[in-house]
Amino acid sequence: MIRTRSLAYAYPGGAPLRFDDLDVAQGAALLLLGPSGAGKSTWLALAAGLLTATGGTIEVAGQDLAALRGPARDAWRGRAIGFLPQKLHLSEALDVEDNLALSFFAAGLPRNAGAIAAVLSSLGVGELARRRPSQLSGGQAQRVALARSVLLAPRVILADEPTASLDDDACAASVALLRDAAGRCGATLVIATHDRRVREALADAVVHRLQARVAA
Ligand code: ADP
Ligand code: MG
């Protein structure tokens, strides 16, 4: 569940971006569409509690994000949010399994090797656990990043332009993987994209055209 009211964010020194109010039911899929610069990545960062709203309110999975600061917010994010960033941010210093294990540390939970193996194999990359990120194809790396985002059965999965560099078949497959992974944990799924193909691949999603207004 996500609810925003008069949500606004001003980057330091910038004019505030204002977002239309949104209500997304728990378990629903939301497509945030908009051209480059529309505010999609900013909105996702606000929903993940990576940025703090400078105006209005945002509630995610029952949590008013303004009420959480510092380490409490980090722990909440680790447990409640699965984030699939545009740049995957897999550490080359670690193999796939250890990259996923970082999520347990971030959430303050003990490492669970069985859970890591299960989520990797559910996404068809179970045999890649010992590889370094540079030894993965683009599609494999994205599956690993998706596995990381759903490892802790988040309430909300946020994906930023997940299909940007994918051909048509891989685009449809990637959206299906996100949808299935969200369905398995009952998560709300938000995909931010300017890729029109995603709309066809996610026909039953709530579509919201994001056009953050810059206040005068
Ligand atoms: P989208 O993801 O839809 O392309 P963004 O959320 O990245 O849009 O950007 C929304 C607006 O905020 C744009 O005008 C962009 O220039 C501005 N913006 C994004 N990131 C920053 C930043 N770190 N500092 C200042 N302005 C930013
Ligand atoms: Mg963006």
Side-chain angles (χ1 to χ4, degrees):
M1 172 286 263
I2 304 176
R3 174 181 299 136
T4 74
R5 292 291 178 269
S6 307
L7 181 65
Y9 182 75
Y11 284 99
L17 300 163
R18 299 191 185 284
F19 296 96
D20 289 339
D21 290 351
L22 255 178
D23 285 279
V24 189
Q26 185 60 39
L30 171 70
L31 204 49
L32 276 184
L33 291 179
S36 184
K40 301 181 296 297
S41 295
T42 304
W43 192 96
L44 291 179
L46 289 164
L50 293 165
L51 293 175
T52 300
T54 54
T57 59
I58 180 164
E59 207 180 298
V60 179
Q63 177 66 53
D64 173 9
L65 294 193
L68 284 179
R69 300 277 156 173
R73 183 185 287 194
D74 291 339
W76 169 84
R77 181 187 312 111
R79 288 167 188 248
I81 301 291
F83 199 74
L84 185 61
Q86 193 166 6
K87 284 186 172 180
L88 300 179
H89 295 299
L90 294 167
S91 172
E92 190 55 31
L94 303 172
D95 67 17
V96 163
E97 182 179 334
D98 286 347
N99 265 282
L100 266 64
L102 289 178
S103 298
F104 288 108
F105 294 116
L109 297 169
R111 179 177 176 137
N112 182 335
I116 293 172
V119 75
L120 287 173
S121 68
S122 78
L123 288 164
V125 288
E127 73 286 9
L128 304 178
R130 296 262 78 90
R131 294 219 196 155
R132 300 287 171 130
S134 63
Q135 298 171 314
L136 305 173
S137 72
Q140 289 171 336
Q142 198 187 43
R143 283 172 187 243
V144 167
L146 176 57
R148 177 183 57 188
S149 73
V150 299
L151 178 61
L152 299 181
R155 304 310 294 148
V156 177
I157 296 172
L158 305 170
D160 198 356
E161 306 277 8
T163 61
S165 58
L166 304 179
D167 64 29
D168 289 355
D169 286 346
C171 171
S174 173
V175 172
L177 284 173
L178 275 162
R179 162 44 67 83
D180 291 349
R184 274 199 297 276
C185 47
T188 307
L189 173 64
V190 182
I191 300 181
T193 188
H194 67 276
D195 183 347
R196 298 186 167 276
R197 299 173 302 174
V198 176
R199 190 168 185 178
E200 294 152 36
L202 204 62
D204 59 339
V206 178
V207 176
H208 182 76
R209 286 188 186 286
L210 202 66
Q211 186 56 71
R213 292 158 286 128
V214 178

